[in-house]
Amino acid sequence: MKVLVIGGGGREHAIVWALAKSPRVSEIVCAPGNAGISQTRLQKSGQPVRCVPVDTVDLAAMLRLVLEERPELTVVGSELPLSLGLVDKLMHLGFRVFGPTQAAAQLETSKSFAKKFMQSHNVPTAAHAICTSLEEVRQELPHFSLPIVVKADGLAAGKGVVICETHLQAEQTAAQMFSGTLLGSAETYVVLEQFLLGEELSFFALCDGKHAVALAAAQDHKRVGEGDTGPNTGGMGAYTGDGLLSATMEQWLLKNVAQRVVDEMALEGSPFHGILFCGMMMVPKNDGTTLPMVLEFNTRFGDPETQAIFMRLQNEIVDLFDAAIDGSANELDIQMRPGASVCVIAASQGYPGKYPSGLPISGLDSVLDPDTVVFHSGTATSDGAIVTAGGRVLGVTSVSGNNTSTSTSALQTALNKAYGALNGISFQGMHFRRDIGWRALRDGL
Ligand code: AMP
């Protein structure tokens, strides 16, 4: 089977790596890919993955590419092509494609759509108001206690959520979102939301239009600084572990969130196929129980959670993609290697602000541990050498565990492996967090 993967970050490297292990896959093309992806070889044939340039904001260019390459399966990695309707166009042309349609992807691409949807269908989420003018914002603000979360409606690459400590700050933030000065484009809707306190959890469900099945849970670290401090990033690391989610809570999330979304989207005429990434806040209640609330939906794999999850996934990845397309996800038996896994991001100096590019990376060949993979996020090849080409550069990912280890000890071993590998890798200004998984180590998994 010939497979095309759209994207060029760490998530796409992990998807390509998983595809390359499959005996069913005979050719992989990745657009645009990166230096690490182009070094990946198919396990069966030894054939390298072919990277081809494409701009993932250019719908016409992506369609031309698919018509030229004629893949038997296309996997869309990131949200932008979904928001442009790439899946709809490819389905219309008769291609098999993994990912939701433009209408179904609104769960991610429009916060106001997602909020209205959750409210109509009793999906637990924070109290909110959807505003179309600053006047409405002023009217709604007194109904919220501090702090207030102000959210831009559209995709904003992690920059569209501001936690405001005063009503004035909330009003000013909303004004900047409406005028376009905050994000570069003017928002039609701004969502005000009640601030929730708790632990965040990412829950991934594989959906096939009718069924939602649990894939994995992960926790990521969004802030740049240790102890979860400093500005937000695309994600500085993530981990997964057997104990992160109890079987009871997994069932609760499936029933009250993921399956409800799938059922209601189907009833609304937009069946959801693909990955539903539920960004949850696990809010502790006075009686000692936990109330899970949805902060946001994403409609694709997370980055860097995917790198950590795929290191533990034991199913053939193509079977998951096929089941999501064909409506047979309920027949899958999803198996994860027991234990834990972790991905630590090595970032460029200055990230998440301005950063240099084109710096040579050394030590990539020094990683020999079979349980560690260095996924490339922002890399390129220059004069035969691998150089930095992004804010997040590498995702050093390790897995550990078996039926006898506890998940906390497996997490500690995975962390030792990842940080050990990072010791041998360097580029000028490289920085990474040394405390990935700190909560799980403190409280136990
Ligand atoms: P979102 O894009 O909606 O997931 O928001 C990005 C981040 O902002 C989340 O991962 C949370 O850390 C934070 N956040 C969003 N909504 C809330 C909320 N209602 N209460 C507390 N934190 C929030």
Side-chain angles (χ1 to χ4, degrees), residues 111 126 149 151 161 163 193-196 200 281 295-296:
K111 292 220 190 279
V149 188
K151 296 187 176 185
V161 176
I163 295 168
E193 198 174 284
Q194 195 59 61
F195 180 81
L196 299 174
E200 286 185 55
M281 186 69 92
L295 292 182
E296 66 160 349

Side-chain angles (χ1 to χ4, degrees), residues 198-282:
E199 272 217 29
E200 286 185 55
L201 183 91
S202 307
F203 176 63
F204 294 84
L206 183 80
C207 306
D208 68 3
K210 292 177 280 192
H211 318 97
V213 297
L215 182 61
Q219 224 167 30
D220 73 342
H221 294 270
K222 279 258 179 284
R223 305 291 197 94
V224 73
E226 277 155 29
D228 295 318
T229 54
N232 258 336
T233 67
M236 293 300 289
Y239 62 97
T240 76
D242 282 335
L244 199 52
L245 195 61
S246 68
T248 317
M249 185 56 83
E250 180 178 288
Q251 282 311 310
W252 195 96
L253 292 174
L254 263 183
K255 179 167 173 263
N256 296 288
V257 181
Q259 187 63 51
R260 196 168 291 171
V261 168
V262 168
D263 290 344
E264 297 298 342
M265 288 299 280
L267 286 173
E268 290 190 7
S270 303
F272 189 94
H273 295 258
I275 288 291
L276 185 69
F277 164 161
C278 311
M280 307 299 305
M281 186 69 92
M282 310 303 271

